[in-house]
Amino acid sequence: MIKKIVLLFTVIVLASCSSSKPAIATTKKAAVHQTRTAAAKKPVYSKPTAKYPSTNNTTEVIQSTSKTVVTSDLINNYILQFKDIAIGNMKTYGIPASIILAQGILESGAGRGDLALEANNHFGIKCHKDWLGESVRHDDDSAQECFRKYPEAAESYRDHALFLVGKKRYEALFTLEKDDYKAWAKGLRAAGYATDPKYPDKLVSYIERYNLHQYDCQVTGRNYVPINTSAPARSSSSVANSDPKINMNSYDPNSYEVQKGDTLYSISKKFNLLVDDLKRKNNLTDNAISIGQRLKVK
């Protein structure tokens, strides 16, 4: 009897061990399968790309009355801010708007130079004997020279025009064609406006890189042909159709940079404007715009 009980117990134990092994194997296989499935379903993340591609925002150093580091975006925004004043001064005083803007960029470091920030002096004009307004001291050709100070930048632009008109040594400039910016650049240097022998080349470089001659043509009514097609300029036809993008301009939220596919109508709809209002804000006489051109929208 005892042998039968022992035998029965042995059989039960063996049966129990035999039944447990497949269960363990099944559990391992399931775990492995589950791990592999999870790994297969795990999303693979790639490096995100920018929604809006960056523009070619180059950096340069402007050396005038101070050393200033600027970007092409800063220069473009400077032009946008003061082009209307330059056009007005060309109409009133006969100085090419392109020359006015190029001098402003160079002399003020696109509005970021010490004199521009401290005294609203955008043309490096010194006090001279006839100056009765406020002044500041600044190191230039000599230590602590006297420079004119203005309540606002627009006054500096006006005084620049009066300065050229009122000085006898600049008389020869006004015998030149109003929109001959190369002759004006050389004439300013010859008349003693600047001592830098490369001054004319620097002015011409800004005019041609940023298509400033277009503003001369707006006054004279002559056809304008862009020299630098990547810079803001008006063309003879509107931009070809494509998917327009909102400009991500971090410097001037009140302006918009024309993208491929834009028209005045599409831009006016983006900013809830009438086309006529958009044209008036930007002194446009027709519907022609070009890629890279900056428009006032507010």
Side-chain angles (χ1 to χ4, degrees), residues 219-233:
V219 176
T220 62
R222 296 180 182 177
N223 291 330
Y224 173 66
V225 179
I227 296 173
N228 179 9
T229 56
S230 66

Side-chain angles (χ1 to χ4, degrees), residues 97-107 203-204 206-207 212:
S98 61
I99 286 290
I100 296 170
L101 288 169
Q103 282 194 281
I105 293 167
L106 180 56
E107 298 289 350
L203 294 183
V204 170
Y206 283 119
I207 291 169
L212 303 183

Side-chain angles (χ1 to χ4, degrees), residues 115-129:
L115 279 177
L117 295 174
E118 184 182 358
N120 285 316
N121 189 330
H122 284 238
F123 296 91
I125 300 180
K126 297 177 182 179
C127 293
H128 302 287
K129 295 179 181 179

Side-chain angles (χ1 to χ4, degrees), residues 193-217:
Y193 191 96
T195 57
D196 182 359
K198 295 183 179 180
Y199 192 77
D201 294 334
K202 291 178 180 179
L203 294 183
V204 170
S205 175
Y206 283 119
I207 291 169
E208 295 184 347
R209 273 191 286 155
Y210 292 91
N211 283 323
L212 303 183
H213 186 50
Q214 64 178 303
Y215 305 119
D216 301 337
C217 293

